[in-house]
Amino acid sequence: MRFLRHLYVQVLIGVIMGGLIGCLWPEFGAQLKPVGDAFVALVKMLIGPIIFTTVVVGMAGMGDLKKAGRIGWKAFIYFEVVTTLALLIGLAVANTFTPGAGFHATPASLDAKSVAAYTDAAHSLGVVDTLLHIIPRTFVSAFVEGDTLQLLLISVLFGMALARLGEKGRPMLNLLTEASHVFFGVVNIVTKFAPLAAAGAMAFTIGKYGLGTLHQLGKLMLCVYLTSFLFIFVVLGTIAHFAGFSLWKILKLIREELAIVLGTSSSESALPGLMEKMERAGCDRTSVGIIVPAGYSFNLDGTCIYLTMAALFIAQATDTPMSLGQQLGLIGVLLLTSKGAAGVTGSGFITLAATLATTGHVPVAGIALILGVDRFMSEARAITNFIGNAVATLVIARWNQDFDRSKGSVVLK
């Protein structure tokens, strides 16, 4: 029974046990939500210090600050190209399978009140508001709120300042280096509770929403999962191949983190583990510190697939015709709005509401149609986002010549 010692096996067992609890005892399963939430909260508590220490130590020890700029620009180009592909693939699958056809939902039948919170929040997704949101109100508030972009901003500024101090900043650099090891040690301790958290999260999902809700919108779910599968193994697999990596070996490397993401439906719960694995695989610490946090805000491949398919599903379900030009316009808007709600609770619905409101063609209240099954699609979004960021980190690090092939050949074997 040696295989039971592996964390990913334990988490998968937790997922199965949680699903059984949710099916057999739904009321009890629904009460287990705090178990999963507590684990995610524990990991999020550590994300701020880990990003800060990783970025600062990497930049201060690098010396050449222009290198950080090159990493940033290359990451931005990569993110835009790949997320555009995700949006277009979602568009193609939604038009091919038309998951919303046959619903014939009318504006009067839609529950606008159930989505009021998301439509209200969508009004603050303007370009200026988004840019200002990157700047934290105070140095400490970035850590308190856990916003990855805010954390990345203050980490880069602190790292630049520490790099300019040279030898005078050596004591601070040594302190942060040791602190980084301590925080990753805490992550290793917290991760041991992942199987229990996965069981609680899955029991809540099944117990609260029930498998019965899947019948009506099963076609939409099937399309989202199919598209995510195609994107991972075709698009990301091809990108990894041309960059000199094997997607299968990458998945094998991050299998523990993937199990955690599957169990908790949150890619953030595995962010520290991803950073550690990418460094171990040969990526430079500075590259990891910049690419991974930025990717969690700008490289949301799974979210982009979901947003496209959800928007077209609502259009089809409400019998709202959309020409090819209108659909491409929707893609253009999503390229902007999909970045605007990064780090915001309920960001998927907020972004979707902002997009539909901007296009002014599809009824925003149609979001109410997918509220019941959104939780069941969150696993596909989270896993696709996570794998996308793992591939992005390796590809961009190699592109920027920040990849140690000798370490990579050992870890990615």
Side-chain angles (χ1 to χ4, degrees), residues 389-401:
N389 282 313
V391 173
T393 305
L394 289 165
V395 171
I396 297 169
R398 184 154 190 174
W399 181 14
N400 205 51
Q401 298 181 346

Side-chain angles (χ1 to χ4, degrees), residues 237-260:
T238 301
I239 292 172
H241 174 74
F242 281 105
F245 298 103
S246 165
L247 178 63
W248 179 252
K249 291 179 179 178
I250 295 173
L251 296 179
K252 184 179 178 182
L253 173 66
I254 59 173
R255 59 185 181 273
E256 286 89 359
E257 287 72 27
L258 283 174
I260 293 173

Side-chain angles (χ1 to χ4, degrees), residues 197-247:
M202 189 56 64
F204 163 74
T205 300
I206 303 298
K208 175 72 173 179
Y209 299 101
L211 294 176
T213 58
L214 304 184
H215 295 302
Q216 188 179 15
L217 299 173
K219 193 174 180 181
L220 173 62
M221 281 191 58
L222 182 63
C223 286
V224 170
Y225 274 86
L226 173 64
T227 310
S228 298
F229 181 87
L230 289 174
F231 183 83
I232 291 170
F233 290 98
V234 177
V235 177
L236 294 180
T238 301
I239 292 172
H241 174 74
F242 281 105
F245 298 103
S246 165
L247 178 63

Side-chain angles (χ1 to χ4, degrees), residues 89-105:
I89 291 173
L91 188 75
V93 174
N95 278 297
T96 301
F97 294 96
T98 58
F103 269 73
H104 306 299

Side-chain angles (χ1 to χ4, degrees), residues 154-170:
I154 63 172
S155 300
V156 169
L157 292 175
F158 198 97
M160 290 172 63
L162 190 58
R164 290 185 175 184
L165 288 176
E167 284 302 315
K168 291 183 180 179
R170 181 62 59 181

Side-chain angles (χ1 to χ4, degrees), residues 87-294:
L87 290 168
L88 290 173
I89 291 173
L91 188 75
V93 174
N95 278 297
T96 301
F97 294 96
T98 58
F103 269 73
H104 306 299
T106 61
S109 66
L110 299 174
D111 184 10
K113 293 182 180 179
S114 63
V115 297
Y118 303 111
T119 54
D120 292 341
H123 294 304
S124 63
L125 280 186
V127 176
V128 175
D129 292 323
T130 300
L131 292 175
L132 289 176
H133 179 72
I134 298 175
I135 305 173
R137 286 172 294 178
T138 65
F139 188 90
V140 178
S141 66
F143 292 90
V144 175
E145 296 174 8
D147 189 292
T148 54
L149 282 181
Q150 293 181 357
L151 288 165
L152 188 57
L153 175 64
I154 63 172
S155 300
V156 169
L157 292 175
F158 198 97
M160 290 172 63
L162 190 58
R164 290 185 175 184
L165 288 176
E167 284 302 315
K168 291 183 180 179
R170 181 62 59 181
M172 176 62 75
L173 178 60
N174 293 337
L175 176 62
L176 291 175
T177 301
E178 296 305 318
S180 175
H181 296 153
V182 173
F183 285 122
F184 275 111
V186 177
V187 169
N188 290 332
I189 296 172
V190 171
T191 304
K192 296 184 184 300
F193 296 95
L196 183 62
M202 189 56 64
F204 163 74
T205 300
I206 303 298
K208 175 72 173 179
Y209 299 101
L211 294 176
T213 58
L214 304 184
H215 295 302
Q216 188 179 15
L217 299 173
K219 193 174 180 181
L220 173 62
M221 281 191 58
L222 182 63
C223 286
V224 170
Y225 274 86
L226 173 64
T227 310
S228 298
F229 181 87
L230 289 174
F231 183 83
I232 291 170
F233 290 98
V234 177
V235 177
L236 294 180
T238 301
I239 292 172
H241 174 74
F242 281 105
F245 298 103
S246 165
L247 178 63
W248 179 252
K249 291 179 179 178
I250 295 173
L251 296 179
K252 184 179 178 182
L253 173 66
I254 59 173
R255 59 185 181 273
E256 286 89 359
E257 287 72 27
L258 283 174
I260 293 173
V261 172
L262 173 66
T264 61
S265 300
S266 169
S267 58
E268 283 190 335
S269 62
L271 186 151
L274 177 61
M275 296 180 74
E276 184 180 23
K277 289 287 180 68
M278 292 299 98
E279 279 193 57
R280 194 193 307 171
C283 296
D284 179 75
R285 168 168 279 207
T286 306
S287 294
V288 173
I290 294 175
I291 297 169
V292 173

